[in-house]
Amino acid sequence: MAQLPDPRPSSTPLPWAGLFDLFRIGIGPSSSHTVGPMMAAGRFIAELPPLQYRSITVDLYGSLALTGKGHATDTALALGLLGQKPDTVDPDAVPVLLEGLRASGCLTLRHGVQVPFHPETDVIFRKREVLPRHANGMAFTAMGQGNDCVRRVFYSIGGGFIVEDGEDGEANGFVAPAIPYPFGTSADLLSMASAAGLTIAELQRQNERAIRSDREITEGIARIWAAMRSCVERGLHQRGELPGGLKVRRRAPGLHERLLARARTNEADPMRGMDWVNLYALAVNEENASGGRVVTAPTNGAAGIVPAVLHYYVNFVPGSDDQGIETFLLAASAVGSLIKRNASISGAEVGCQGEVGSASAMAAAGLAAALGGNNMQVENAAEIGLEHNLGLTCDPIGGLVQIPCIERNAIGAVKAINAARLALHGDGAHHVSLDQVIRTMRETGHDMLSKYKETSEGGLAVNAIEC
């Protein structure tokens, strides 16, 4: 099968990303294929000039076209055009909203004008075409009654971030603020923190203060943590098969019951904690696969890793507290910002190393920080977490965020805990820096064939038998 050309991302580094950029409340199954397109559609429809239109169409390119059906991209676009937002739409109301659109066959614009729109025919999957800037490209076209035409091209660059042609990455609220510690590399981060006498988490909080108050930071973190807990709790009790046709059954409820039963017997099991970490990650990613509400961390495909490790911290670490949760998420977001700035968190751009690898690095750094690690140990934990995910491909079977994605989150969470523990057993000195691993991840992603980057044209996606 002919390979799609691999678009190269801009060499211009993206701005600093804060905690609330990297941890966003949204819906599944994909931050790049669901959340990003919904945001782009909402922005397009909200900014349309008040004219009469005879049609609106959306062309999808590259990875969005190849795995968009399995990732519910067409559904996300319809919801965005209806004015829904990822962080506020009720996942249980989605079928009703879509049925209403199908019945009416039209969108009502903000100035009251109605325009025909049928998701089945007006979302066009251009599977053999890719736009030059990023593998996740989409073009919105509104045709007027005469020759008027409004056409805008957006890219979903991972984690729910979108940019439009001509923008430099400062779209969708992702703006470079005037922060006191504008670190661009892990070397910068360590140097600035040392000079200021701050931990990595404290430095990141100082940067957050350039945007919002301490109260807003604390309340925002509490909302993120509450959404993570809610997602896990729902995932522990929802049963049945996941949508999409692979007939993947939810495993979290059954595993939860077995672990509770084992706990009642007081059976000694040195691996008990790992079982629970696996459970937390499975619960989140089964919810994500079903289109439920999740927190991008930093993506939906890797959304189970940070919550699983945070649940491990809260439930298995003596003395865990709310301050530790804040420290965890602040340190994790500092690492995520570095990866996003200097490489990518997009599976369509660098493979799953950019999703699960990034999440493992973030969770490892967060746990090391919450456990009292020094800055060198925190950086080392992140380096270990990312290094041992280098080369990880994104090859979802059937274009669905299920196999191997769900289990991969469980493995990534356990790997993050191990990375933190290894780092904390050392003094922070190590041979390979986080900067070097991030650069290696970026280069590896560039060298990776497109069939291994969220196109479902290689790897498990073609070698595993669908049933």
Side-chain angles (χ1 to χ4, degrees):
M1 180 178 294
Q3 292 295 312
L4 288 172
D6 275 314
R8 293 294 186 260
S10 168
S11 60
T12 303
L14 291 170
W16 171 82
L19 187 151
F20 302 104
D21 297 310
L22 292 158
F23 297 109
R24 302 182 181 196
I25 299 173
I27 61 170
S30 172
S31 51
S32 61
H33 287 55
T34 309
V35 176
M38 191 187 302
M39 296 290 291
R43 181 172 164 187
F44 174 77
I45 205 74
E47 296 174 1
L48 265 182
L51 303 172
Q52 293 286 335
Y53 298 97
R54 52 189 169 89
S55 68
I56 287 178
T57 57
V58 188
D59 293 273
L60 300 176
Y61 299 89
S63 177
L64 286 183
L66 287 162
T67 59
K69 281 289 185 183
H71 287 52
T73 304
D74 46 354
T75 295
L77 289 167
L79 292 172
L81 292 171
L82 287 170
Q84 298 293 321
K85 297 181 179 180
D87 59 337
T88 57
V89 63
D90 179 1
D92 294 330
V94 168
V96 176
L97 292 168
L98 294 177
E99 183 55 38
L101 177 58
R102 292 189 190 97
S104 68
C106 65
L107 302 166
T108 301
L109 306 185
R110 71 183 191 282
H111 47 281
V113 172
Q114 291 190 325
V115 55
F117 182 76
H118 303 275
E120 295 80 6
T121 57
D122 292 331
V123 177
I124 303 158
F125 295 81
R126 301 193 178 278
K127 295 184 178 182
R128 305 315 309 165
E129 300 178 47
V130 62
L131 299 182
R133 183 170 178 180
H134 194 281
N136 289 333
M138 62 195 117
F140 296 82
T141 305
M143 295 299 300
Q145 297 297 334
N147 294 322
D148 297 323
C149 173
V150 178
R151 177 179 168 85
R152 298 175 68 180
V153 175
F154 293 88
Y155 299 91
S156 181
I157 61 175
F161 293 95
I162 59 171
V163 292
E164 187 174 4
D165 261 355
E167 292 177 332
D168 61 2
E170 300 185 8
N172 194 23
F174 187 34
V175 179
I179 55 176
Y181 300 102
F183 60 89
T185 65
S186 65
D188 291 343
L189 177 60
L190 292 172
S191 176
M192 291 178 182
S194 176
L198 299 170
T199 67
I200 287 174
E202 290 169 343
L203 182 146
Q204 185 74 338
R205 190 180 185 97
Q206 290 290 338
N207 283 345
E208 293 288 347
R209 284 175 175 154
I211 309 170
R212 51 186 61 87
S213 68
D214 268 323
R215 179 178 176 178
E216 289 172 325
I217 296 169
T218 296
E219 290 178 348
I221 290 174
R223 282 193 298 273
I224 294 297
W225 175 225
M228 289 179 174
R229 294 199 315 272
S230 177
C231 183
V232 168
E233 183 63 23
R234 182 176 169 86
L236 294 180
H237 298 97
Q238 297 296 307
R239 298 181 181 275
E241 291 182 355
L242 297 173
L246 290 181
K247 300 187 183 301
V248 174
R249 294 192 62 80
R250 288 179 181 253
R251 286 183 286 174
L255 177 56
H256 186 219
E257 291 173 353
R258 289 192 293 277
L259 293 182
L260 290 176
R262 183 188 300 172
R264 288 192 289 269
T265 67
N266 292 318
E267 175 186 345
D269 182 359
M271 302 302 289
R272 170 175 169 266
M274 187 173 75
D275 285 339
W276 281 93
V277 171
N278 285 330
L279 172 63
Y280 301 139
L282 292 176
V284 171
N285 283 87
E286 288 174 354
E287 274 298 288
N288 178 64
S290 69
R293 188 168 304 289
V294 298
V295 176
T296 61
T299 67
N300 283 31
I305 294 172
V306 168
V309 178
L310 253 181
H311 274 77
Y312 165 81
Y313 167 73
V314 169
N315 295 331
F316 288 91
V317 173
S320 61
D321 56 18
D322 289 344
Q323 182 58 54
I325 293 170
E326 290 195 15
T327 296
F328 185 117
L329 290 175
L330 285 162
S333 67
V335 168
S337 179
L338 287 171
I339 297 172
K340 180 165 181 58
R341 175 185 175 88
N342 297 308
S344 176
I345 59 173
S346 169
E349 193 170 19
V350 295
C352 198
Q353 59 175 351
E355 297 200 36
V356 163
S358 297
S360 291
M362 293 166 64
L367 181 60
L371 294 178
N374 63 41
N375 288 346
M376 289 293 293
Q377 290 171 319
V378 171
E379 186 261 358
N380 189 20
E383 178 268 321
I384 295 170
L386 184 56
E387 178 182 347
H388 299 290
N389 281 289
L390 288 176
L392 192 61
T393 60
C394 184
D395 49 356
I397 296 175
L400 298 166
V401 193
Q402 297 178 16
I403 304 172
C405 316
I406 295 171
E407 284 184 355
R408 191 168 280 175
N409 274 256
I411 300 301
V414 172
K415 189 178 290 187
I417 294 171
N418 197 31
R421 292 177 68 87
L422 279 173
L424 291 173
H425 280 301
D427 61 3
H430 52 290
H431 291 287
V432 180
S433 72
L434 177 59
D435 286 330
Q436 291 169 327
V437 176
I438 292 173
R439 184 164 58 250
T440 301
M441 189 259 273
R442 179 184 176 91
E443 293 171 352
T444 302
H446 287 175
D447 293 338
M448 191 182 291
L449 294 175
S450 65
K451 68 180 183 178
Y452 298 119
K453 294 192 286 189
E454 210 166 0
T455 61
S456 291
E457 293 188 318
L460 287 175
V462 299
N463 288 316
I465 298 174
E466 299 182 31
C467 57

